[in-house]
Amino acid sequence: MATHGIVLDLIRTRRATTRSEIMRVTGLSRSTVAQRLERLLESRLICEADSGDSTGGRPAGHFCLNNAYGALLVVDAGATSMRLALTTLTLEIRLEREIAHAIEKGPDETLALIKQALAALLLEAGIEGGDVAGIAMGLPGPVEFETGRVVRPPIMTGWDDYPIVETLRQAYDCPVIIDNDVNLMALGEYRTARAQVQDLLYIKMGTGIGAGIIMEGRLQRGARGSAGDIGHLMIETDTPTQPAAPCRCGKRGCLEAYASGWSLVRTLREQGHMVDSAQAIVQLSKSGDAQAIEALRQSGKRLGLAASYAVSLLNPAVVVLGGTLIEGQDECVAAFRETLYQRSLPLATRDLKVEISHLGRRAGIMGATHLIIDHLLDPERIDRQLS
Amino acid sequence: MATHGIVLDLIRTRRATTRSEIMRVTGLSRSTVAQRLERLLESRLICEADSGDSTGGRPAGHFCLNNAYGALLVVDAGATSMRLALTTLTLEIRLEREIAHAIEKGPDETLALIKQALAALLLEAGIEGGDVAGIAMGLPGPVEFETGRVVRPPIMTGWDDYPIVETLRQAYDCPVIIDNDVNLMALGEYRTARAQVQDLLYIKMGTGIGAGIIMEGRLQRGARGSAGDIGHLMIETDTPTQPAAPCRCGKRGCLEAYASGWSLVRTLREQGHMVDSAQAIVQLSKSGDAQAIEALRQSGKRLGLAASYAVSLLNPAVVVLGGTLIEGQDECVAAFRETLYQRSLPLATRDLKVEISHLGRRAGIMGATHLIIDHLLDPERIDRQLS
């Protein structure tokens, strides 16, 4: 059996980082271990601690992942802004940019802008395009993970079935992975800050509302990549006197139509406020505006109801809240907690933690970094490459 | 590395069933493969096809799981009846019984009855208690899988934290696994009839309502074993004129309070019908009673709403419906489908299949059989035993 991948995984997870530890854990002979390490060193995936290269100060004789293996390019593209970063195998963020851009402008314009911004990051870091080891990008819509294509997004005009991977690979000859943006945030939070739990629900409240699901320590995407679509749970129906609020997906009564950034903009503009974004609503509420505060409270309450459904169905250990509407708005989170606990069975919530994102706006790029590293260092992939 | 477990797994899954196939797939030497097979034959976990023992007619030189390894005892205990069976490593149901019994009678009486019934099955089959290889049981409440204990069940008085595993192990010195009943039904359906999908949602509509979740081919239990609790999604709230219906969990407005067997009994009795069970309601509707048919239609509609939440969050490839209320009642299923499709985004439902359980009342015992076999043949467990 090829065991390069197993050896690399032991080094990556730090379960065994010396020749003798690797021999003990795997039961492989001294000569086999030596051969595996030699191939991994040749490939520049790992380095020895005394080589002076990204060793985190460990003594000689220890092996670790090699930051010089190649750059990772990661993108977290939201509805109205995107964050791009140059990261490494050891999860270091070397350079990072945020750009205001409406995803509605379509894939041609958006991907041209992304390519340009990524090239600028590489130029600044003095890295050649050929040294890019992998790219991962999150998009604010349902993504079919195997093909990296957006599938019938409720927003994102023009993106349906667009060849995103192929477009990025025109510029970079390396693996490119596309996923839903909130999936990447969930993964980032889980891996970076909460590896002690196995079941996590991440909810993003920004311009739109979405969720990412970790169960048994794995990101769950569902059959077609649309798992976690909490924003379009139909929480209201028409009554004899009042129709349910229209949603941008074309239906009525969705959670997003009552609780998202875009729907709060609609509500507050009807009340005469000149707000145009989730950020503006948060600023208005921080200035003490009673209508903005009440809008955020109502939003938290509706989200709490939808989250009670997710909590009953998924039984997570922790619910992590992120996104613009959450940042710094206690009213929204307080109303969320109150409704969630009131609407759930005690069993589902007695050990449940509700927490604010540790990573904030970096959750997406950290998740993207983990995702591409998982792909690049997958033991089976390594065995195919090195055997 | 110990590789008994890997060799057994190849034989179990039929990916490699001869010496030369096993050598080719694993890369192990002829002598190592011979030694692994010898130990597996000694342990009676496998047998050779020409030994005449449960070979399914395969030619000599092929290895397969050995039906004579030991009996499996499986129990599917529902709220008002239980099914017990004697099964084998090769998924054969050798004997099977159904017993009417109210789980509310508590753990002492229920487990005594179960022990008695299992002993009777063994006696009839001519099998000694010492030849029982494993036991798996499903219960109609939340189960903490690691400990096998029921955790704060909304029904099941007296079962909270009762030492079920310990009680059964007084009679049988073998692994005993306890799980939620609907989890086992989901696993049974998935493994027996639908292995071509990876994401399945099983919903049981009987006296109570529950769901079992398969994602990425694995049963998902959540952090505390209560994942899939669709029955207590709070789908209605008090209005100024009418309070939401009380649920047996102590809250109001739960799905179960509108759509379960017990709540339909309440509704139909208020309308003057002398029904006392889900079965009686189905019979009444089959006799053409308009109120019973309407009650089942309303029930399907409410379940469709709750299922639309589960489908948006989980994005399954297939929803499987089982339980007494589903059996033979087209009205209920038609109303379910209609509401589910009406309330969900097209993306979540365009490839979604809604199907009636293939296994019917055997789903639970088949799932229990798969669960205990997974445990007994777990590669790491086998390596610990045989190395």
Side-chain angles (χ1 to χ4, degrees):
Chain A
M1 282 179 288
T3 44
H4 299 92
I6 294 172
V7 171
L8 179 62
D9 201 54
L10 290 172
I11 293 169
R12 177 189 180 190
T13 56
R14 300 185 187 177
R15 282 175 295 165
T17 60
T18 66
R19 278 167 211 274
S20 55
E21 281 172 9
I22 294 166
M23 284 166 60
R24 186 172 47 75
V25 173
T26 58
L28 295 171
S29 69
R30 177 170 296 275
S31 63
T32 305
V33 170
Q35 191 276 337
R36 301 303 186 243
L37 288 170
E38 198 180 327
R39 287 290 286 129
L40 290 167
L41 286 163
E42 269 171 30
S43 70
R44 302 178 69 220
L45 280 159
I46 63 169
C47 57
E48 253 193 291
D50 58 354
S51 71
D53 200 352
S54 318
T55 60
R58 242 163 296 155
H62 285 262
F63 296 91
C64 58
L65 290 183
N66 182 5
N67 252 358
Y69 172 68
L72 307 176
L73 294 173
V74 293
V75 184
D76 174 13
T80 57
S81 73
M82 58 176 82
R83 184 168 288 251
L84 305 97
L86 180 65
T87 62
T88 70
L89 272 197
T90 54
L91 303 170
E92 199 185 303
I93 300 177
R94 292 189 53 184
L95 289 170
E96 192 180 9
R97 294 287 173 273
E98 191 168 0
I99 302 175
H101 174 78
I103 201 89
E104 287 289 347
K105 291 194 174 162
D108 291 332
E109 192 176 331
T110 303
L111 291 173
L113 182 65
I114 286 171
K115 280 196 212 178
Q116 198 184 351
L118 293 177
L121 285 178
L122 290 174
L123 191 66
E124 188 176 339
I127 293 171
E128 302 280 329
D131 286 334
V132 175
I135 299 176
M137 174 159 78
L139 286 169
V143 173
E144 188 174 67
F145 186 66
E146 279 66 35
T147 60
R149 301 214 175 187
V150 172
V151 187
R152 311 237 175 145
I155 57 166
M156 293 183 72
T157 317
W159 286 85
D160 190 17
D161 208 33
Y162 190 92
I164 304 167
V165 172
E166 295 79 350
T167 304
L168 291 172
R169 281 179 56 91
Q170 284 164 6
Y172 300 98
D173 181 26
C174 65
V176 174
I177 303 185
I178 313 295
D179 204 340
N180 172 266
D181 62 342
V182 189
N183 281 351
L184 294 185
M185 294 172 198
L187 187 64
E189 281 288 335
Y190 170 65
R191 289 289 187 79
T192 309
R194 299 162 203 277
Q196 73 281 15
V197 301
Q198 290 285 297
D199 301 273
L200 176 148
L201 175 68
Y202 179 96
I203 305 178
K204 183 198 170 198
M205 277 186 97
T207 306
I209 298 178
I213 298 168
I214 308 278
M215 293 188 92
E216 286 193 321
R218 294 174 57 81
L219 185 58
Q220 299 293 345
R221 299 183 177 88
R224 297 281 296 181
S226 75
D229 186 14
I230 198 171
H232 300 281
L233 297 198
M234 207 176 280
I235 59 163
E236 295 288 345
T237 49
D238 299 344
T239 67
T241 54
Q242 195 170 21
C247 184
R248 58 181 179 171
C249 74
K251 297 230 165 200
R252 291 177 170 275
C254 298
L255 174 65
E256 270 207 4
Y258 293 90
S260 66
W262 68 258
S263 72
L264 295 197
V265 166
R266 179 173 67 185
T267 304
L268 288 165
R269 287 175 78 96
E270 282 168 10
Q271 295 172 351
H273 294 281
M274 296 309 291
V275 289
D276 60 356
S277 67
Q279 193 58 52
I281 293 166
V282 170
Q283 278 163 6
L284 188 63
S285 77
K286 283 185 173 168
S287 77
D289 182 89
Q291 284 179 322
I293 292 171
E294 178 58 19
L296 282 168
R297 220 182 61 77
Q298 288 298 330
S299 174
K301 204 170 145 181
R302 304 279 191 170
L303 187 70
L305 171 63
S308 80
Y309 298 153
V311 163
S312 289
L313 288 167
L314 303 169
N315 185 211
V318 56
V319 175
V320 179
L321 296 174
T324 304
L325 293 187
I326 296 300
E327 288 166 14
Q329 268 315 308
D330 294 347
E331 286 80 4
C332 181
V333 176
F336 172 82
R337 281 181 202 269
E338 185 186 323
T339 312
L340 173 60
Y341 284 99
Q342 181 194 325
R343 293 300 190 92
S344 306
L345 275 192
L347 170 68
T349 51
R350 74 170 163 154
D351 298 324
L352 180 72
K353 289 184 186 139
V354 176
E355 297 180 0
I356 307 301
S357 165
H358 290 169
L359 295 175
R361 288 164 181 267
R362 281 183 160 171
I365 59 168
M366 287 313 296
T369 302
H370 280 281
L371 187 69
I372 189 68
I373 293 174
D374 283 355
H375 175 79
L376 293 172
L377 305 191
D378 175 63
E380 288 185 21
R381 183 173 191 273
I382 294 296
D383 284 342
R384 280 195 305 274
Q385 273 185 355
L386 302 188
S387 295
Chain B
M1 282 179 289
T3 44
H4 298 92
I6 293 172
V7 171
L8 179 62
D9 201 53
L10 290 172
I11 293 169
R12 178 189 179 190
T13 56
R14 300 187 187 175
R15 281 175 295 165
T17 60
T18 66
R19 281 167 210 273
S20 54
E21 282 172 6
I22 294 166
M23 285 167 59
R24 187 171 49 74
V25 173
T26 60
L28 295 171
S29 69
R30 177 171 295 274
S31 63
T32 305
V33 170
Q35 190 277 337
R36 301 303 185 242
L37 287 171
E38 199 179 328
R39 287 288 286 129
L40 290 167
L41 285 163
E42 269 171 31
S43 70
R44 301 178 69 221
L45 280 159
I46 64 169
C47 56
E48 254 192 290
D50 57 355
S51 72
D53 202 350
S54 315
T55 60
R58 242 164 294 155
H62 286 262
F63 297 91
C64 57
L65 290 182
N66 183 5
N67 253 357
Y69 171 68
L72 308 176
L73 294 174
V74 293
V75 184
D76 174 13
T80 56
S81 73
M82 57 175 82
R83 184 169 289 252
L84 306 97
L86 180 65
T87 62
T88 70
L89 273 198
T90 53
L91 304 170
E92 200 184 303
I93 300 176
R94 292 188 53 183
L95 289 171
E96 193 179 9
R97 294 286 173 272
E98 192 168 0
I99 301 176
H101 174 78
I103 201 90
E104 288 289 347
K105 292 194 174 163
D108 292 331
E109 193 176 327
T110 304
L111 291 172
L113 182 66
I114 286 171
K115 281 197 213 177
Q116 198 184 348
L118 293 177
L121 285 179
L122 290 175
L123 191 68
E124 187 175 338
I127 293 172
E128 302 281 327
D131 287 333
V132 175
I135 299 177
M137 175 159 77
L139 286 169
V143 173
E144 187 174 68
F145 187 66
E146 278 67 35
T147 60
R149 300 212 176 188
V150 172
V151 186
R152 312 239 176 143
I155 56 166
M156 294 183 71
T157 318
W159 286 85
D160 192 16
D161 209 32
Y162 190 92
I164 304 166
V165 172
E166 296 80 348
T167 304
L168 290 172
R169 282 179 56 90
Q170 285 164 5
Y172 300 98
D173 180 26
C174 66
V176 174
I177 303 185
I178 313 295
D179 204 339
N180 171 266
D181 61 343
V182 190
N183 281 351
L184 295 185
M185 293 172 199
L187 187 65
E189 281 288 334
Y190 171 64
R191 289 290 188 79
T192 308
R194 297 162 206 275
Q196 71 282 14
V197 300
Q198 291 285 297
D199 301 273
L200 175 149
L201 175 69
Y202 179 94
I203 304 177
K204 183 199 168 197
M205 279 187 96
T207 306
I209 298 178
I213 298 168
I214 308 280
M215 292 187 92
E216 286 194 318
R218 295 175 55 82
L219 185 58
Q220 300 293 344
R221 298 182 177 89
R224 298 280 296 180
S226 74
D229 185 14
I230 198 171
H232 300 281
L233 298 197
M234 207 176 279
I235 58 163
E236 294 288 343
T237 49
D238 299 343
T239 67
T241 54
Q242 195 169 18
C247 185
R248 58 181 180 172
C249 74
K251 297 228 162 201
R252 290 178 171 275
C254 298
L255 174 65
E256 270 208 4
Y258 293 90
S260 67
W262 68 259
S263 72
L264 295 197
V265 166
R266 178 172 68 186
T267 305
L268 288 166
R269 287 175 79 96
E270 282 167 11
Q271 294 172 352
H273 294 282
M274 297 308 292
V275 290
D276 60 356
S277 67
Q279 193 59 52
I281 293 166
V282 170
Q283 278 164 5
L284 189 63
S285 78
K286 283 185 175 171
S287 77
D289 182 90
Q291 285 179 322
I293 292 171
E294 178 59 18
L296 282 168
R297 221 181 60 79
Q298 288 297 330
S299 174
K301 205 170 147 181
R302 304 278 193 172
L303 187 71
L305 171 62
S308 79
Y309 299 152
V311 163
S312 289
L313 289 166
L314 304 170
N315 185 212
V318 57
V319 175
V320 179
L321 297 174
T324 303
L325 292 188
I326 295 300
E327 288 165 14
Q329 267 316 306
D330 295 345
E331 286 80 3
C332 181
V333 176
F336 172 83
R337 281 180 201 268
E338 185 186 324
T339 312
L340 173 60
Y341 285 99
Q342 182 194 326
R343 294 299 191 94
S344 307
L345 277 191
L347 171 68
T349 50
R350 74 171 162 151
D351 298 325
L352 180 72
K353 288 185 186 139
V354 175
E355 296 181 0
I356 308 301
S357 164
H358 291 170
L359 296 175
R361 287 162 182 267
R362 281 182 159 172
I365 57 168
M366 287 313 296
T369 302
H370 280 282
L371 187 69
I372 189 68
I373 293 174
D374 283 355
H375 176 80
L376 293 172
L377 304 191
D378 175 62
E380 288 184 20
R381 182 173 193 273
I382 294 295
D383 284 341
R384 282 194 305 275
Q385 275 185 355
L386 300 189
S387 295

